[in-house]
Structure formats: C-alpha cells, structure tokens
Amino acid sequence: MAAQLNVAVIYYSATGITYQMAQAAREAAEDAGAQVRLRKVRELAPAEAIRSNSGWEAHRLDTQDVEEAQPDDLTWADVVIFGSPTRYGLVAAQLKQFIDGTGPLWAQGALANKVYSAFTSTATQHGGQESTLLSLFHVFYHWGGIVVTPGYTDPSQFTSGNPYGASHTSNNGETAPDHVALEATALTARRAVRIGAALKQGLAS
Ligand SMILES: Cc1cc2nc3c(=O)[nH]c(=O)nc-3n(C[C@H](O)[C@H](O)[C@H](O)COP(=O)(O)O)c2cc1C
C-alpha cells in the first residue's frame, strides 16, 4: 500500500455477535496494511433493559475498554466499515444516533469521497440482512461516499450468499459467526481497503 490508509470499523452490538464480525473486519484491514480504529457507538438503552438480558450485560462488561466512536473517527478515516445488528429490518438506533450526529461534518463535505462498507447480523435467515445493509447505504449516498460491497468477487461468496455485505444469522445470539460469516466480513474489509487505497492514490494524483 503506497500511502497509509486509515480504516474506522464502527459498530453497535448488544450481545456480541456483531462485535465478533467487527473484530474480523479489524483483523483483515490490519493484515491488508491499514491503520485501524475499532470503535463501538454509545449505548442508549436504559440500564434496566440491559440488566434484563444476561448476554447483553455480559457483552457490555466485556467490551467496556473498547473506545467509543467520535465524529473525528470519520474525518480521520479513508475507509469506514459500519456494523449493526438488524432491528426490525433496519440499523440499530445506537448506530443511527451516531450517524445523526454527523450533520456538521456532512455540511462541510467531510464525509464525501471515502469508501464505505457494512456488515450485519440477524436472528433469522430472512430477518432483514439486505434491508439493514441497504438502509446504511442510503446514508452513504447522502454523504457522497463510495459504497464497496463483496459482491460475488470471491468463490466464498457463493457460500455466504450475500453480495451486499457480510452477514450472519445468529439465532438470537445463540450461534456465533462461523468461518463463512467471518471470511465474508474479512473479504468485505479487504475489498474496502483495496478500493480505498486506489481511491486515495487516485484522488491525490
Ligand atoms: C429490538 C430488536 C429487534 C430485532 N429485529 C430483528 C429483525 O428484524 N430480524 C431478525 O432476524 N433479528 C432481529 N433481532 C435480532 C438481532 O438482530 C440478532 O440477534 C443479532 O444477531 C444480535 O446481534 P448482537 O449480538 O451484535 O447484538 C432483533 C433484536 C432486537 C433486540
């Protein structure tokens, strides 16, 4: 990679499934030579809701040392990879709240001309993976971003089966991402880094 490429992996995860995918994205981007910031978005749910779900509470404790995403992470990054569990076919409110705080950056054009990719997890196979990813892509279009998807650019995609982005069916957090989902996440990150590096070099020349 010619110039240093900065990648922000920004995610929300209640019970840890999407977090495991975020880790796979971070590792793949680092292996591809990028400098990576892994950031969680701020939790918005009330403490009693978190306490009522042991998996949610455990994951919150496990990841208390992960830094919270700030708008500066977006300006720093050449490539931004968002991860969110599906919430009724859409992105989680916690990630949407972070996105909704980007108005000043958007107004300056500071979010344009970057590469954006995404990954998600659902409880069920047809529970809204594509709609969640597409809902994120709408945001990227407004920002003037370059959306990079895995497509069917690798034979593994004919097994994972989602050309829009990496996704995993978790059975409500019971089934951790397997090698298929983690490889799809890594492929998504590698492609984002590759296209992001080419874009950065092209824009600079
Ligand atoms: C409020 C709420 C809404 C959800 N909506 C959906 C949905 O529309 N489709 C689906 O398959 N799973 C849905 N789920 C399940 C989660 O998306 C799924 O368990 C996910 O893998 C959890 O990821 P996490 O461990 O990173 O939080 C929902 C869960 C909650 C709490």
Side-chain angles (χ1 to χ4, degrees):
M1 199 182 299
Q4 177 64 53
L5 194 80
N6 295 337
V7 176
V9 178
I10 297 177
Y11 75 95
Y12 176 73
S13 183
T15 51
I17 298 293
T18 315
Y19 171 69
Q20 293 173 62
M21 301 174 79
Q23 292 279 24
R26 176 185 62 76
E27 278 173 30
E30 283 177 351
D31 287 349
Q35 188 174 337
V36 182
R37 290 184 184 177
L38 176 72
R39 299 288 187 266
K40 67 185 180 196
V41 295
R42 182 168 301 163
E43 182 57 87
L44 301 177
E48 60 266 31
I50 297 171
R51 268 198 307 273
S52 72
N53 178 330
S54 59
W56 196 352
E57 187 163 57
H59 179 65
R60 189 162 160 70
L61 282 173
D62 286 348
T63 53
Q64 58 190 343
D65 292 336
V66 177
E67 281 185 57
E68 275 188 3
Q70 305 297 332
D72 163 69
D73 295 318
L74 296 175
T75 42
W76 170 84
D78 304 299
V79 170
V80 184
I81 306 174
F82 281 113
S84 173
T86 288
R87 294 284 186 261
Y88 306 118
L90 295 170
V91 65
Q94 288 85 346
L95 182 57
K96 186 60 165 55
Q97 176 66 29
F98 175 75
I99 287 169
D100 286 356
T102 62
L105 292 179
W106 165 80
Q108 296 161 29
L111 303 174
N113 302 336
K114 297 172 187 287
V115 157
Y116 295 93
S117 294
F119 56 89
T120 188
S121 71
T122 58
T124 60
Q125 192 181 3
H126 299 289
Q129 294 173 350
E130 286 96 330
S131 59
T132 300
L133 294 168
L134 289 169
S135 73
L136 271 168
F137 294 173
H138 287 297
V139 174
F140 306 153
Y141 301 144
H142 282 247
W143 288 352
I146 315 299
V147 178
V148 171
T149 67
Y152 293 97
T153 57
D154 186 272
S156 63
Q157 280 297 104
F158 292 96
T159 306
S160 61
N162 189 341
Y164 300 84
S167 58
H168 173 65
T169 304
S170 77
N171 188 24
N172 272 322
E174 296 294 318
T175 307
D178 58 7
H179 75 279
V180 173
L182 295 176
E183 172 49 30
T185 312
L187 173 69
T188 302
R190 282 196 300 272
R191 271 181 57 75
V193 167
R194 181 164 173 238
I195 305 300
L199 178 67
K200 185 172 186 175
Q201 197 174 359
L203 288 173
S205 64

